[in-house]
C-alpha cells in the first residue's frame, strides 16, 4: 500500500489533531442575542429557548457583564414593547425597550459591541415586519419607519443597527438617515440573505411576533433560491452595509461558502432559535451530546465562511472553547 495516501497519520494523536486543525472556535466568534421586554420586574425564563430570558431593560446589564467576562465581543438586542400598534410606533420611541437596553448595556459593559435588531414585527399588532395596508406589507412606507427606528437606536448608543425586515432599499435609506442625523459612526449589519424559514419558531414565541395573518414569504427569500441570497448581499453592500448576514445558518452553509468567496465584507451567520432548540431538545432526551453537537455546528458555520455567529449557545460555547 505504499502508493496510498495515508491521511490517518494526521489523526493519530490529540496533539497532532490540534496542530493541523483548520478551523478554530473562540469566544471572539460569538454574538449573544438578548431579549428585553417592558413590564417585567424580574427576568423571565423562556420555555422555547432554555437558558434564555426576557430581561427587564434595567437588569440586562447583568447578562451583558457575564458575556463580556467570557470574552464574547458583542450582543444583539431584541425589544418587546408593552403596547403594540398598527405601525410599530414603540420601535422608535426614545424610551422603548431596545433603546433603554442599549443605554443599560453601554453603561454596564462598555467594551461590548452593541447590535440592535431593527425591525417592526416585535412592535406591530399584526406581527408583520412592516406597515400593512389592505393585507399587503408596504415596502417604501416601511422603510421610512425603519430608518427612524435605526436613528433612535443609534441615538441610544447602538454601535450597529441590524435591519432584519427584508424590505428593498432599507440599507441605503438607513445609511442616509444615520448620516444626516450626524451618526455616521454607526454601522449597518444587514440581514441580507434571510430566508422564510421554519427555524424561527421558538423566536416568534419569545418575541410574540408571529404574523396574525399570512406569512413572511412576500419579503423573506424562498428557501430554494440561493442566488437571490447572493444578489441581496451584493445589493446591500452597494447600499452601504458594513457587515452582511446569512440566516439561518445550518441549512444555508452553501451560501456562507459562496458569499465568502465572492465578497470581501465581514460575513455574519445567524444560528437561529430553531437550530438551538433542536440541539437542546435532543440533548434533553439523551439523544445527542449537547456540547459536541453545538460545537460541531458552530465549527461548521465558521468553516463554511462566517466571520462570526449570532448564537443562543454563545455563553455556554464561550466557556467550552476557553477550556
Ligand atoms: C424578526 C426576526 C426574526 C428573527 C430575527 N429577527 C424572526 C422572523 O423573521 O420571523 C429570527 C431569529 C431566530 O429565530 O433566532 N424580523
Ligand atoms: Zn421582523
Amino acid at each position: 500500500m505504499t502508493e496510498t495516501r495515508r491521511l490517518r497519520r494526521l489523526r493519530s494523536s490529540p496533539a497532532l489533531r490540534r496542530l493541523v486543525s483548520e478551523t478554530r472556535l473562540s469566544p471572539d466568534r460569538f454574538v449573544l442575542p438578548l431579549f428585553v421586554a417592558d413590564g417585567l420586574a424580574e427576568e423571565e425564563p423562556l420555555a422555547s429557548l432554555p437558558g434564555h430570558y426576557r430581561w427587564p431593560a434595567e437588569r440586562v446589564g447583568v447578562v451583558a457583564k457575564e458575556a463580556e467576562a467570557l470574552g464574547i465581543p458583542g450582543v444583539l438586542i431584541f425589544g418587546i414593547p408593552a403596547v403594540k400598534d398598527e405601525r410599530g410606533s414603540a420601535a422608535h420611541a426614545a424610551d422603548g425597550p431596545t433603546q433603554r437596553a442599549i443605554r443599560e448595556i453601554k453603561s454596564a459593559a462598555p467594551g461590548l459591541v452593541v447590535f440592535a435588531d431593527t425591525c417592526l414585527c416585535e412592535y406591530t399588532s399584526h406581527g408583520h415586519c412592516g406597515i400593512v395596508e389592505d393585507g399587503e406589507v408596504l415596502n417604501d412606507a416601511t422603510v421610512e419607519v425603519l430608518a427612524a427606528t435605526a436613528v433612535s437606536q443609534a441615538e441610544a448608543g447602538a454601535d450597529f443597527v441590524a435591519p432584519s425586515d427584508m424590505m428593498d432599499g432599507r440599507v441605503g435609506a438607513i445609511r442616509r438617515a444615520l448620516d444626516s442625523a450626524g451618526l455616521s459612526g454607526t454601522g449597518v449589519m444587514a440581514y441580507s440573505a434571510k430566508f422564510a424559514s421554519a427555524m424561527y419558531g421558538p423566536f416568534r414565541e419569545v418575541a410574540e411576533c408571529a404574523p396574525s395573518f399570512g406569512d413572511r414569504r412576500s419579503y423573506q427569500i424562498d428557501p430554494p433560491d440561493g442566488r437571490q441570497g447572493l444578489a441581496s448581499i451584493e445589493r446591500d453592500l452597494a447600499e452601504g452595509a458594513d457587515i452582511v448576514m446569512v440566516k439561518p445558518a445550518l441549512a444555508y452553509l452553501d451560501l456562507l461558502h459562496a458569499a465568502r468567496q465572492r465578497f470581501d465584507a465581514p460575513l455574519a451567520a445567524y444560528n437561529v432559535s430553531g437550530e438551538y432548540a433542536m440541539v437542546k431538545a435532543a440533548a434533553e432526551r439523551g439523544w445527542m451530546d449537547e456540547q459536541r453537537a453545538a460545537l460541531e455546528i458552530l465549527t461548521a458555520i465558521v468553516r463554511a465562511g462566517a466571520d462570526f455567529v449570532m448564537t443562543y449557545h454563545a455563553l455556554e460555547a464561550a466557556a467550552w472553547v476557553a477550556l
Side-chain angles (χ1 to χ4, degrees):
M1 289 231 295
T2 46
E3 73 290 355
T4 296
R5 191 170 171 198
R6 290 188 181 272
L7 289 165
R8 286 187 58 193
R9 269 186 218 117
L10 297 173
R11 306 170 196 151
S12 57
S13 76
L16 187 56
R17 291 195 293 272
R18 270 168 38 226
L19 273 177
V20 302
S21 173
E22 296 173 35
T23 307
R24 291 166 213 270
L25 289 180
S26 104
D28 294 341
R29 303 263 186 201
F30 306 143
V31 167
L32 175 68
L34 292 174
F35 299 96
V36 179
D38 277 336
L40 297 174
E42 285 282 303
E43 57 270 27
E44 180 182 276
L46 301 171
S48 65
L49 281 179
H52 286 265
Y53 300 83
R54 280 197 202 116
W55 292 88
E58 295 61 39
R59 279 188 50 75
V60 73
V62 173
V63 63
K65 280 185 189 156
E66 194 187 333
E68 191 177 40
L70 282 161
I72 293 170
V75 295
L76 170 63
I77 303 173
F78 295 93
I80 305 151
V83 182
K84 305 191 187 224
D85 64 20
E86 280 277 306
R87 297 182 53 85
S89 313
H92 49 86
D95 63 346
T98 302
Q99 288 78 358
R100 293 193 340 270
I102 293 166
R103 283 186 227 111
E104 182 63 31
I105 292 170
K106 277 289 166 192
S107 88
L112 286 179
V113 179
V114 175
F115 296 89
D117 186 88
T118 308
C119 200
L120 302 184
C121 54
E122 298 90 351
Y123 301 90
T124 52
S125 42
H126 45 71
H128 275 290
C129 301
I131 305 299
V132 171
E133 211 175 273
D134 301 327
E136 293 261 327
V137 177
L138 302 181
N139 195 89
D140 298 7
T142 300
V143 168
E144 279 179 38
V145 184
L146 288 168
T149 301
V151 168
S152 92
Q153 293 170 335
E155 279 170 345
D159 298 295
F160 280 81
V161 295
S164 64
D165 54 287
M166 292 300 283
M167 300 302 130
D168 287 317
R170 91 276 210 217
V171 172
I174 286 173
R175 185 67 272 155
R176 286 189 294 276
L178 290 171
D179 291 349
S180 44
L183 296 159
S184 58
T186 307
V188 178
M189 175 171 74
Y191 287 71
S192 299
K194 176 171 179 179
F195 290 82
S197 173
M199 301 290 159
Y200 310 148
F203 175 97
R204 290 185 189 173
E205 196 174 316
V206 169
E208 300 162 345
C209 71
S212 62
F213 67 91
D215 55 40
R216 303 212 201 291
R217 286 171 205 268
S218 77
Y219 39 107
Q220 299 179 350
I221 306 172
D222 209 18
D225 301 345
R227 289 195 301 265
Q228 284 193 36
L230 296 173
S232 188
I233 291 172
E234 185 169 32
R235 190 267 320 267
D236 288 355
L237 286 171
E239 289 184 18
D242 301 281
I243 302 173
V244 288
M245 194 203 296
V246 172
K247 175 187 176 192
L250 206 42
Y252 299 87
L253 296 182
D254 55 333
L255 282 177
L256 284 170
H257 184 68
R260 175 70 298 147
Q261 319 268 74
R262 204 179 288 199
F263 305 108
D264 289 329
L267 181 61
Y270 202 137
N271 176 214
V272 299
S273 60
E275 298 173 326
Y276 174 80
M278 290 193 290
V279 173
K280 280 279 173 196
E284 238 169 56
R285 285 162 178 73
W287 293 348
M288 283 199 282
D289 178 83
E290 181 176 8
Q291 177 172 342
R292 287 190 56 205
L295 293 181
E296 183 176 334
I297 287 169
L298 291 167
T299 301
I301 293 168
V302 172
R303 193 190 63 226
D307 294 304
F308 65 93
V309 191
M310 267 53 68
T311 176
Y312 300 96
H313 269 117
L315 292 173
E316 289 159 296
W320 292 331
V321 301
L323 291 181

